Amino acid sequence: MTKAFDTVKHDILIQKLDHYGIRSTAKNWFVSYLTNRKQFVSLGCTKSDTLPISCGVPQGSVLGRLFLLYINDFHNSSPIFDFHISADDSNLFCKHKNIVFGIYYQ
């Protein structure tokens, strides 16, 4: 999950907020923060075009904790792995006699 905080899709995160009961004013605050944001890169006197941001949450900020909500159901993504998830690390373990070249066969 390299650069995982940068890959949080805002539309999925907003759906998860609703799923976990974050609605009304609190949800609207998050939606307001996550939508209609733009960014550009500046190097010296040169600036890139301004483009919309559709994914990512700031790591190290209070809102970075939204990442935990985003991956809360990560352990449901595969029946073959044993997931060990902590606040800042995830490990997936797989032990099966039919693993050939990293591909799972039933």
Side-chain angles (χ1 to χ4, degrees), residues 1-2 4 67 71 74-78 80-95:
M1 295 189 0
T2 304
F67 180 72
I71 66 163
F74 181 49
H75 65 278
N76 295 326
S77 64
S78 174
I80 66 168
F81 290 111
D82 180 18
F83 291 82
H84 295 258
I85 302 172
S86 63
D88 62 355
D89 193 23
S90 298
N91 293 286
L92 285 68
F93 296 93
C94 183
K95 180 180 177 183

Side-chain angles (χ1 to χ4, degrees), residues 30-51:
F30 287 115
V31 170
S32 173
Y33 178 81
L34 293 170
T35 57
N36 298 319
R37 298 181 65 78
K38 297 180 181 184
Q39 69 181 9
F40 66 91
V41 176
S42 175
L43 181 60
C45 296
T46 306
K47 286 200 278 188
S48 69
D49 292 336
T50 301
L51 298 171

Side-chain angles (χ1 to χ4, degrees), residues 6-106:
D6 295 335
T7 63
V8 174
K9 291 185 168 273
H10 293 168
D11 55 341
I12 294 173
L13 179 57
I14 291 167
Q15 290 173 8
K16 288 191 177 207
L17 290 171
D18 194 59
H19 174 76
Y20 288 111
I22 300 170
R23 298 186 180 95
S24 206
T25 303
K27 180 181 171 188
N28 290 340
W29 185 85
F30 287 115
V31 170
S32 173
Y33 178 81
L34 293 170
T35 57
N36 298 319
R37 298 181 65 78
K38 297 180 181 184
Q39 69 181 9
F40 66 91
V41 176
S42 175
L43 181 60
C45 296
T46 306
K47 286 200 278 188
S48 69
D49 292 336
T50 301
L51 298 171
I53 302 171
S54 61
C55 60
V57 292
Q59 185 175 4
S61 74
V62 173
L63 291 178
R65 290 177 177 85
L66 289 174
F67 180 72
L68 296 177
L69 183 100
Y70 189 75
I71 66 163
N72 190 45
D73 56 358
F74 181 49
H75 65 278
N76 295 326
S77 64
S78 174
I80 66 168
F81 290 111
D82 180 18
F83 291 82
H84 295 258
I85 302 172
S86 63
D88 62 355
D89 193 23
S90 298
N91 293 286
L92 285 68
F93 296 93
C94 183
K95 180 180 177 183
H96 197 281
K97 62 183 178 180
N98 292 328
I99 293 184
V100 179
F101 301 109
I103 300 171
Y104 176 73
Y105 296 96
Q106 285 187 332

